[in-house]
């Protein structure tokens, strides 16, 4: 059995592996395609993980949040376009989403006024920026809910077979 790490500033990949009580060797067996030496390089930040390695870790560790972390923090394109999403309790996610939706509902008429002529004038710019920020909060709340549900599916807290059957049924209904 490997020694426990005493490193203070562990990255997300190491803390995730250690939370599962896996050594690098047992993690490598679980991950199948990532050798222990490669795991060590990723965890000690001597090398960034490749996207396929992050996908494998997210799936095998049952931690889909690793993908969002990678995209938001380590992928050059994602750093520009992908906000980092933090896993929260479902009730907190829903309350934040409802607060943002309520706020946006109050601002929808102003958004229509601003965009009706296809031009955002100087006197409309401040309101437009506030509305765009509120829409970003809604988007992040939706992403957080998506990540939460993916985690619940990965860990078995939500019945994956029933979930997928319901999604297929809904897709069929939409086609009809």
């Amino acid at each position: 059995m490997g020694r426990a790490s005493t490193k203070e500033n562990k990255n997300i990949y190491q803390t995730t592996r250690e939370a599962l009580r896996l050594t690098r060797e047992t993690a490598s067996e679980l991950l199948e395609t990532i050798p222990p030496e490669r795991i060590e390089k990723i965890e000690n930040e001597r090398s960034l993980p490749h996207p396929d390695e992050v996908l494998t870790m997210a799936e095998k560790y049952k931690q889909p949040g690793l993908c969002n972390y990678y995209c938001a923090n380590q992928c050059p394109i994602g750093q520009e376009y992908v906000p980092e999403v933090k896993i929260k309790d479902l009730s907190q996610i829903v309350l934040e989403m409802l607060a943002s939706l309520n706020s946006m509902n109050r601002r929808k008429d102003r958004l229509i006024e601003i965009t009706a002529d296809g031009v955002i004038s100087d006197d409309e710019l401040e309101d437009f920026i506030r509305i765009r920020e509120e829409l970003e909060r809604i988007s992040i709340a939706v992403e957080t809910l998506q990540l939460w549900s993916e985690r619940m599916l990965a860990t078995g807290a939500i019945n994956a077979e029933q979930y997928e059957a319901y999604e297929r049924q809904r897709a069929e209904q939409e086609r009809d």
Side-chain angles (χ1 to χ4, degrees):
M1 180 114 178
R3 307 182 285 121
S5 172
T6 57
K7 178 177 152 187
E8 288 185 30
N9 295 322
K10 300 175 183 181
N11 68 20
I12 192 169
Y13 306 108
Q14 184 172 358
T15 57
T16 301
R17 176 184 56 79
E18 289 180 351
L20 295 170
R21 301 187 187 277
L22 299 171
T23 65
R24 287 188 183 117
E25 290 72 22
T26 55
S28 178
E29 291 172 14
L30 175 67
L31 300 172
E32 298 173 347
T33 59
I34 308 173
E37 300 79 22
R38 177 75 180 138
I39 295 170
E40 191 268 335
K41 284 182 180 180
I42 293 168
E43 291 180 353
N44 287 319
E45 298 177 344
R46 290 198 314 269
S47 181
L48 285 177
H50 300 289
D52 60 312
E53 293 170 327
V54 176
L55 284 168
T56 300
M57 285 188 272
E59 177 189 350
K60 299 292 185 172
Y61 291 166
K62 297 182 179 181
Q63 295 294 324
L66 290 175
C67 293
N68 174 261
Y69 175 84
Y70 172 82
C71 291
N73 294 285
Q74 296 177 317
C75 168
I77 297 170
Q79 287 173 334
E80 286 291 319
Y81 298 102
V82 177
E84 185 171 358
V85 175
K86 303 285 186 192
I87 291 282
K88 300 175 183 176
D89 291 332
L90 180 59
S91 59
Q92 185 179 4
I93 296 167
V94 171
L95 288 174
E96 288 175 7
M97 184 180 301
L98 290 174
S100 290
L101 288 170
N102 286 339
S103 176
M104 195 59 222
N105 193 37
R106 290 188 300 270
R107 296 179 185 201
K108 72 178 180 207
D109 291 337
R110 180 63 178 142
L111 180 60
I112 293 168
E113 290 171 10
I114 292 170
T115 59
D117 62 0
V119 176
I120 300 171
S121 62
D122 292 346
D123 64 318
E124 297 171 328
L125 188 57
E126 187 177 342
D127 287 343
F128 179 77
I129 290 170
R130 285 197 178 115
I131 291 168
R132 185 186 52 80
E133 289 170 349
E134 197 62 56
L135 290 169
E136 286 176 13
R137 282 190 281 281
I138 292 169
S139 177
I140 290 171
V142 169
E143 291 290 327
T144 304
L145 183 59
Q146 179 67 31
L147 190 57
W148 179 89
S149 64
E150 287 174 13
R151 186 173 186 190
M152 295 300 106
L153 285 164
T155 60
I158 294 176
N159 182 322
E161 288 178 20
Q162 187 176 1
Y163 185 91
E164 290 166 9
Y166 181 72
E167 281 190 329
R168 281 192 303 274
Q169 179 185 13
R170 300 257 310 150
E172 290 172 10
Q173 288 173 347
E174 288 179 12
R175 281 190 298 250
D176 293 338

